Amino acid sequence: MSLRIGTRGSALALAQTNKVVGILADRGIETEVVTIATEGDAATGVPLHAIGGQGVFVRALDDAILRGEIDAAVHSMKDIPAARPAGLTCSAVLERDSPADFLVHECPLEAVSVIGSSSTRRRAQLLRDAPALEVKQLRGNVDTRIRKLREGQYDAIVLAEAGLERLGLTLPGEALPTDRFVPSPNQGTIAVVCRDDPAVAGAFAPLDHAQTRLDVDIERAVMEEVGGGCFTPQGIYCRGGDLIAEVLALDGSRWERIERHVATVGEAREWGRALRVQAATLIREAHAALGVKP
């Protein structure tokens, strides 16, 4: 069996795809890697919420699968939006790497006053922790972000620790604690999406990690019930059924939060609906400020 696997062209996307390719090779499955440009890679000068959110990284690959140009695609699972096209399936969720954010800085921590991040969640959590900070927009791949840091445009930048590990990068700084800086839903997780064909999906099934899939399914259920995607600052993280979920004001001044042990996806949906009610005002404010229709 030979499979065509699609990926974005960034160094991180290729590293994640090569991880999947290596596991398949060990199982005797041949692959061809196909690089596909996405709207999110092309439009690096504007915030994600202004071009449609995280899904801009996924749509081109979804379309290529549905057109039959590739058999599957490898994604950072946090980039996959809640609404999915018919004809596709998530055939494997790999064992989770670090879910944490990593604050990269070369100056002393106490000297950090300007931080680069394009994430509404990271911005809100940073401002909650230290309201005097200035958080400036920063888009681009990991190399671009590090270059801008070293050019002095920022005192520090925030990156996903898992991405740094997958790229083999060791940078000065520290991981941010996941209880205070609750990660984006599914952060640190690689997923394989393929056409809904048992022969294709079956090839990836051995890569699936049951506990990680349950944890990320719980996170996605909460995310779907809360709504808002990357438009609303929200952190949702589950480990072994222990769930932390929060929605914040854009400026980090207020937030609503739940902490529960959750055993099933159905239970997660109940808590997601409860959080949406608790956070309704914050969600409305974020949508209005960003010009997003509910």
Side-chain angles (χ1 to χ4, degrees):
M1 183 181 219
S2 180
L3 296 170
R4 297 160 299 168
I5 301 181
T7 178
R8 295 164 59 197
S10 71
L12 178 56
L14 289 167
Q16 294 174 169
T17 300
N18 287 336
K19 179 174 182 176
V20 171
V21 165
I23 297 171
L24 292 173
D26 290 342
R27 302 185 64 83
I29 297 174
E30 296 181 3
T31 54
E32 174 192 353
V33 175
V34 180
T35 303
I36 295 174
T38 76
E39 183 182 355
D41 296 308
T44 58
V46 291
L48 276 181
H49 64 75
I51 55 172
Q54 293 292 89
V56 298
F57 295 122
V58 176
R59 283 195 294 264
L61 291 155
D62 284 347
D63 291 345
I65 295 171
L66 293 172
R67 287 194 302 264
E69 295 169 8
I70 56 176
D71 299 302
V74 177
H75 297 288
S76 293
M77 193 165 186
K78 70 183 179 67
D79 289 342
I80 300 175
R84 306 297 293 128
L88 301 180
T89 185
C90 180
S91 50
V93 176
L94 277 63
E95 184 173 4
R96 193 176 217 156
D97 298 316
S98 169
D101 288 328
F102 192 91
L103 184 69
V104 184
H105 58 94
E106 296 180 330
C107 65
L109 184 59
E110 58 270 20
V112 170
S113 62
V114 180
I115 298 180
S117 175
S118 63
S119 161
T120 57
R121 171 189 64 83
R122 287 171 174 162
R123 180 180 189 277
Q125 290 172 342
L126 288 164
L127 292 173
R128 172 175 63 185
D129 199 62
L133 285 173
E134 181 183 359
V135 184
K136 294 170 61 177
Q137 285 291 331
L138 174 62
R139 290 275 322 279
N141 60 33
V142 172
D143 288 344
T144 298
R145 298 183 197 198
I146 293 170
R147 174 178 56 78
K148 290 182 177 181
L149 170 69
R150 289 175 173 163
E151 288 173 353
Q153 297 184 39
Y154 310 89
D155 300 321
I157 60 175
V158 185
L159 300 169
E161 186 174 41
L164 297 177
E165 292 172 348
R166 291 168 193 158
L167 289 168
L169 293 175
T170 301
L171 298 175
E174 57 276 311
L176 299 176
T178 56
D179 59 337
R180 280 173 37 219
F181 297 87
V182 184
S184 176
N186 300 178
Q187 185 161 306
T189 310
I190 296 171
V192 180
V193 173
C194 70
R195 67 175 180 271
D196 197 1
D197 176 336
V200 177
F204 296 103
L207 284 65
D208 196 60
H209 187 261
Q211 184 60 60
T212 299
R213 183 180 278 267
L214 178 57
D215 283 341
V216 298
D217 281 351
I218 286 170
E219 292 168 8
R220 291 183 78 80
V222 175
M223 175 184 73
E224 289 167 10
E225 295 299 333
V226 171
C230 72
F231 307 113
T232 303
Q234 59 180 295
I236 305 172
Y237 174 48
C238 184
R239 180 181 180 185
D242 292 327
L243 171 69
I244 306 176
E246 64 179 14
V247 176
L248 301 93
L250 287 167
D251 64 359
S253 61
R254 292 161 294 135
W255 59 91
E256 296 288 347
R257 179 177 173 119
I258 58 172
E259 296 185 37
R260 295 286 187 276
H261 184 80
V262 177
T264 67
V265 171
E267 194 178 339
R269 292 198 177 279
E270 292 177 15
W271 286 113
R273 287 191 288 271
L275 180 58
R276 182 178 179 85
V277 171
Q278 285 178 226
T281 299
L282 298 176
I283 295 169
R284 282 196 303 272
E285 288 175 0
H287 284 175
L290 297 172
V292 178
K293 293 181 180 180

